[in-house]
Amino acid sequence: MEYENFPQTEILRDGRSIIVREMTIRDEARMVEFFQGLPLEDRLFLRNDVTKPEVVHRFVRETEDLVLALVVEFDGRIVASATIERGLYGWTRHVGEVRLVVARSMQRCGLATVLLRHLVRAAPGEGIEIVKAFVAGSKGGALRALESLGFNKEATLRRHVKDVTGRKHDLLILTNDVSHIWEKMEALNSDFSPVLGG
Ligand SMILES: CC(C)(COP(=O)(O)OP(=O)(O)OC[C@H]1O[C@@H](n2cnc3c(N)ncnc32)[C@H](O)[C@@H]1OP(=O)(O)O)[C@@H](O)C(=O)NCCC(=O)NCCS
């Protein structure tokens, strides 16, 4: 579904030019390459084993519950994936879930901030008032990144995640209401511009 005019070219704060656009089924092979290129620590906590081509095959096709699915291209390769999914049950239809993955070589340049801004823009039109994210384990950059983007820890489900190596971790649920995220985004954009243009 079109919420903004994609593709959009953005210049990251380190000067690299990237393209943000909607994911299509033609991205399948490059998505496999992207996910297989992620270091183990960054994919340990992804919900599915996205290094398996059949998982990516379904991911690029079964998009009916996704409000928006974005990819980022740099140098002809996919370097990030971002989705927002609507609540699947009647009573959580106002709650959307975001998932963000950024290639190591592109992290800490403001890319997740840019992607979250796009995802959040798509939320109100779908009646999404609360955005949630799942993070496994309390260590690592993902929790700090989401907290810095305005999410708050809402709940911890102990030992709810078994990673691809079989180890168990706590599952943290982080949430934020869309209007609050918008305020945060505006504040982030005025204090510090992760991108130019866009
Ligand atoms: C979490 C993730 C998406 C962040 O992507 P990113 O593009 O590097 O994030 P940004 O550059 O927009 O960072 C925004 C802020 O988050 C914080 N942050 C991001 N990564 C961090 C890290 N590793 N350690 C501490 N803080 C971090 C910083 O405050 C950062 O702002 P700053 O760079 O100006 O200090 C990325 O680390 C990732 O893909 N991790 C693996 C997958 C995952 O766990 N996804 C989360 C589940 S939804």
Side-chain angles (χ1 to χ4, degrees):
M1 202 178 291
E2 285 278 314
Y3 292 95
E4 298 179 64
N5 290 324
F6 291 108
Q8 290 189 19
T9 300
E10 314 228 25
I11 311 295
L12 294 179
R13 65 183 177 204
D14 64 359
R16 285 183 288 186
S17 175
I18 50 126
I19 295 167
V20 181
R21 62 171 176 78
E22 292 194 73
M23 180 179 75
T24 76
I25 55 171
R26 291 187 300 281
D27 291 319
E28 183 173 343
R30 287 195 295 167
M31 289 297 274
V32 172
E33 199 183 335
F34 163 62
F35 285 127
Q36 288 184 345
L38 293 173
L40 183 63
E41 323 73 281
D42 282 0
R43 57 186 163 76
L44 266 184
F45 303 126
L46 298 180
R47 207 175 302 174
N48 300 307
D49 185 356
V50 284
T51 60
K52 290 184 178 154
E54 63 272 24
V55 172
V56 178
H57 181 81
R58 283 197 301 274
F59 176 62
V60 298
R61 280 173 179 76
E62 293 173 9
T63 54
E64 63 277 6
D65 295 323
L66 298 178
V67 172
L68 186 61
L70 296 174
V71 292
V72 175
E73 267 187 58
F74 173 68
D75 225 6
R77 287 174 302 118
I78 288 175
V79 293
S81 160
T83 57
I84 180 165
E85 186 177 5
R86 63 176 64 80
L88 297 182
Y89 308 106
W91 59 3
T92 53
R93 283 222 319 273
H94 64 301
V95 182
E97 181 187 341
V98 298
R99 293 188 220 175
L100 293 163
V101 197
V102 175
R104 267 296 160 92
S105 60
M106 306 298 286
Q107 287 182 10
R108 300 305 294 264
C109 298
L111 200 41
T113 310
V114 169
L115 290 169
L116 188 64
R117 200 180 64 211
H118 286 300
L119 297 182
V120 165
R121 262 184 207 150
E126 291 289 320
I128 293 173
E129 297 164 32
I130 297 171
V131 179
K132 76 176 171 197
F134 291 104
V135 173
S138 52
K139 299 192 191 86
L143 174 62
R144 288 195 294 278
L146 287 165
E147 283 179 335
S148 83
L149 294 171
F151 285 77
N152 296 306
K153 223 187 290 177
E154 184 103 32
T156 303
L157 303 179
R158 296 183 59 216
R159 300 187 304 281
H160 257 56
V161 174
K162 201 185 261 187
D163 67 33
V164 290
T165 69
R167 285 180 55 214
K168 290 194 188 120
H169 305 266
D170 293 346
L171 178 65
L172 309 183
I173 304 174
L174 291 94
T175 62
N176 208 328
D177 70 72
V178 172
S179 56
H180 183 59
I181 286 179
W182 263 115
E183 286 162 20
K184 279 268 182 194
M185 290 291 108
E186 294 301 317
L188 274 173
N189 288 344
S190 59
D191 289 354
F192 142 77
S193 176
V195 289
L196 306 167

